[in-house]
Amino acid sequence: MDAFVKQIARTLPCRDSYVRQLYRYFRTGDPFPPALYIYGQSSTGKCSILREVLRRWGPEGDGTIMYAQLNAISCYTNKILFETIARQLEGVALSSSNNYSTSQKLEHAKDFLAELRAQLDPAASYVIVLRNAERLRDMAHNLLPLFLQLPEATGLNISVVLVSSLPFEKFYTKTGLPPVVKLFVPEYTRVEMQRILMHDYAQHVAELAGCSGKHQQWLADVTEEFHRNYVNLFLGTFWKVCRDVKELRLVAAECFPPYCEPIRDGTIPVHDSMKLWRNVTKTLRTALSTMYMRLGTNHRTASSSTGNGVAPDGTGWLAQHLELPYYAKYLLIAAYLASNNAAKEDRRLFMKNHGKQRKRLQAVNARAKVVEKMTTKLGPKAFNLDRLLAIFYAILDEKVGLTCNLLAQISTLVHLKLLTYASSAEGGAGVSMLDGSATRLQCTVGLDFIMQIGRMVGFNVRQYLTDFF
């Protein structure tokens, strides 16, 4: 076991206990657990390590286990789900010879079970990995109990591994579920994240060598100790904002060449960490403001060369070059207004006949706000989907129907991290995003960003903010 754990740690470090648990479940010679539920936050290595472990035990490795890996998002019907599992376990690949289809049509659970009993070897061992398993709650009600009792239904040594970011309590129904083995994968600590980023040292140096051309003598100063200092400075800036391994590795690789530029030019010595830190601060601030956007650090140079008065942190440049659909820009403006205005002010802001408002001394004094007490400075407030759509239709001049395309643009804004869930509908039982009163969102962009978006569509945002009355 220890030798196998060390082999996995060479490519995927800091998950030794997780690998040991998988080894105990599938390599000790005992019958597999009927169902294994692996859960934890996203980007914690659940699927990556499980994929690497099964690759070493599957047909590509020693061949002791046949496995099937699929995503519940793409397998959105029972027919696609059953046929994909059966095809991968039988080792059948779709090609032009079989017309990219299978001979058996597995639309029902009884057909799926009969196919497994007839085609699979009872002496072999099988594992089914189903990612995004929370989607099973929206499919047939008998599907999840079937997977939890698949060995009993087929008589095979088969295990179903469900991978999700939700705890298993979110799957409970009134009729109950069979028992399942649960395995929690915690988030990476800062020390573990430092080890993971240090693991990319060779890749970072290779990228520097590719950018340097013929003059590569200075690369001898880029030692592992120098790279460790850079990782410590990088995590000191980004650790409180992002815990996503993929994003941190990507941004760390993008910011490392600007960090090493003074050493290549000879302007700053390699041992002066303070000056190197001050030199790269602007680049890190720009990368921090465009996190999850996958824009790289080249836009920092572009924004400084345009000279059109954009924000120094790159938000103005991002707002100008972020390609959003026309209605998505108005949805983002409506979300910002909903996050930074009180709900009681909506009638006065967005309705023509809202009645007269008397100016009292108390109201005048209340509006004489200092900067620290302005709503736009205190941070965004949560709002529901119904209020967002009401403001959207109030500020939009043309009439637009509420279509699935419009709701899909809201999901796109959430995916781009321009909006976030304050109370996610994904975790609630029986609640969907279409329930506008239950889904609560927050707008994460700043005033400079939304002002630039407003200029692009010809909308004056300040006119609808109570802070500027």
Side-chain angles (χ1 to χ4, degrees):
M1 179 191 297
D2 294 337
F4 180 77
V5 172
K6 291 180 180 178
Q7 290 178 1
I8 300 295
R10 292 172 186 170
T11 55
L12 299 168
C14 304
R15 278 291 179 256
D16 294 352
S17 60
Y18 178 38
V19 177
R20 291 178 188 276
Q21 286 288 86
L22 295 176
Y23 193 95
R24 293 189 184 100
Y25 289 139
F26 299 113
R27 294 290 284 186
T28 56
D30 298 330
F32 291 170
L36 176 62
Y37 186 76
I38 302 176
Y39 66 104
Q41 293 293 333
S42 60
S43 189
T44 52
K46 302 186 298 294
C47 295
S48 301
I49 294 177
L50 185 60
R51 188 186 307 112
E52 179 64 20
V53 167
L54 291 178
R55 187 187 66 81
R56 294 175 181 269
W57 294 340
E60 306 92 339
D62 54 18
T64 57
I65 295 177
M66 291 293 295
Y67 65 93
Q69 294 190 79
L70 59 156
N71 195 329
I73 296 178
S74 58
C75 300
Y76 49 89
T77 64
N78 289 4
K79 181 177 182 296
I80 299 176
L81 182 64
F82 292 154
E83 291 181 359
T84 304
I85 293 175
R87 185 179 70 250
Q88 293 189 25
L89 292 181
E90 295 169 11
V92 178
L94 297 179
S95 62
S96 58
S97 59
N98 54 25
N99 199 20
Y100 297 97
S101 63
T102 56
S103 57
Q104 296 293 334
K105 304 300 181 183
L106 309 177
E107 297 186 2
H108 305 286
K110 61 181 182 63
D111 302 328
F112 172 65
L113 295 177
E115 178 73 11
L116 294 185
R117 296 192 196 102
Q119 299 297 331
L120 299 186
D121 184 7
S125 301
Y126 304 92
V127 174
I128 300 173
V129 180
L130 190 61
R131 302 192 303 273
N132 296 300
E134 63 273 4
R135 294 301 183 100
L136 294 177
R137 300 179 300 170
D138 302 326
M139 300 179 71
H141 63 88
N142 63 339
L143 200 57
L144 183 59
L146 171 67
F147 282 130
L148 297 183
Q149 296 176 306
L150 197 58
E152 182 180 348
T154 59
L156 301 170
N157 185 24
I158 188 170
S159 179
V160 179
V161 181
L162 305 175
V163 183
S164 176
S165 58
L166 301 179
F168 192 70
E169 287 73 18
K170 298 294 184 180
F171 289 76
Y172 286 161
T173 60
K174 295 181 180 179
T175 56
L177 289 172
V180 60
V181 179
K182 304 172 187 176
L183 179 57
F184 175 69
V185 181
E187 287 186 316
Y188 290 106
T189 64
R190 176 164 177 167
V191 176
E192 292 174 339
M193 189 65 69
Q194 181 179 351
R195 286 183 56 191
I196 293 173
L197 295 181
M198 282 293 299
H199 196 72
D200 296 334
Y201 166 71
Q203 178 182 352
H204 291 175
V205 174
E207 292 178 358
L208 289 177
C211 299
S212 300
K214 298 181 180 180
H215 305 285
Q216 298 186 4
Q217 295 82 0
W218 65 278
L219 292 176
D221 296 330
V222 185
T223 61
E224 290 192 18
E225 184 63 28
F226 174 81
H227 188 258
R228 183 179 292 107
N229 292 335
Y230 164 73
V231 170
N232 285 331
L233 295 174
F234 176 82
L235 288 179
T237 303
F238 286 86
W239 180 247
K240 293 183 179 180
V241 178
C242 177
R243 305 292 176 91
D244 193 302
V245 178
K246 297 186 291 292
E247 298 295 334
L248 288 176
R249 291 182 64 189
L250 177 65
V251 178
E254 291 174 347
C255 294
F256 190 58
Y259 183 76
C260 298
E261 279 182 5
I263 301 176
R264 183 186 59 186
D265 301 338
T267 55
I268 300 177
V270 67
H271 56 80
D272 197 341
S273 301
M274 185 59 65
K275 288 186 178 180
L276 290 172
W277 165 255
R278 291 174 181 172
N279 181 73
V280 81
T281 298
K282 187 176 180 180
T283 302
L284 294 179
R285 189 186 301 117
T286 302
L288 190 63
S289 63
T290 57
M291 201 72 182
Y292 300 103
M293 296 296 177
R294 304 293 178 91
L295 296 176
T297 55
N298 294 329
H299 68 281
R300 176 178 64 88
T301 307
S303 62
S304 61
S305 61
T306 53
N308 56 356
V310 296
D313 58 352
T315 56
W317 186 93
L318 173 61
Q320 290 178 355
H321 293 78
L322 182 63
E323 296 183 0
L324 289 175
Y326 180 74
Y327 293 136
K329 295 176 182 177
Y330 271 99
L331 284 170
L332 186 58
I333 294 173
Y336 184 84
L337 296 177
S339 275
N340 293 276
N341 287 328
K344 62 182 180 181
E345 302 288 346
D346 288 351
R347 181 179 179 183
R348 182 164 60 91
L349 288 171
F350 305 110
M351 292 184 64
K352 294 181 179 179
N353 301 321
H354 56 78
K356 296 182 179 180
Q357 184 179 15
R358 296 179 179 178
K359 291 186 177 180
R360 297 181 179 178
L361 182 60
Q362 184 178 2
V364 173
N365 293 335
R367 290 180 185 173
K369 301 177 181 179
V370 294
V371 176
E372 291 78 5
K373 294 184 179 181
M374 293 176 66
T375 307
T376 53
K377 299 295 182 182
L378 294 176
K381 306 296 188 299
F383 56 90
N384 56 31
L385 190 61
D386 291 339
R387 187 179 173 214
L388 169 64
L389 293 174
I391 297 176
F392 169 75
Y393 284 114
I395 64 177
L396 192 64
D397 295 333
E398 54 187 286
K399 293 183 179 180
V400 182
L402 182 58
T403 61
C404 59
N405 187 22
L406 197 64
L407 294 175
Q409 295 186 25
I410 299 178
S411 300
T412 301
L413 295 176
V414 174
H415 180 71
L416 292 174
K417 306 297 181 180
L418 302 176
L419 301 180
T420 59
Y421 284 111
S423 59
S424 176
E426 297 295 332
V431 180
S432 67
M433 187 178 178
L434 296 178
D435 190 351
S437 60
T439 304
R440 297 184 65 81
L441 301 165
Q442 282 182 333
C443 184
T444 60
V445 302
L447 180 61
D448 294 332
F449 185 98
I450 206 66
M451 290 279 289
Q452 189 64 37
I453 295 291
R455 293 191 193 99
M456 295 171 65
V457 295
F459 183 83
N460 188 0
V461 178
R462 293 171 66 98
Q463 184 180 350
Y464 292 90
L465 289 173
T466 57
D467 285 344
F468 301 101
F469 280 178

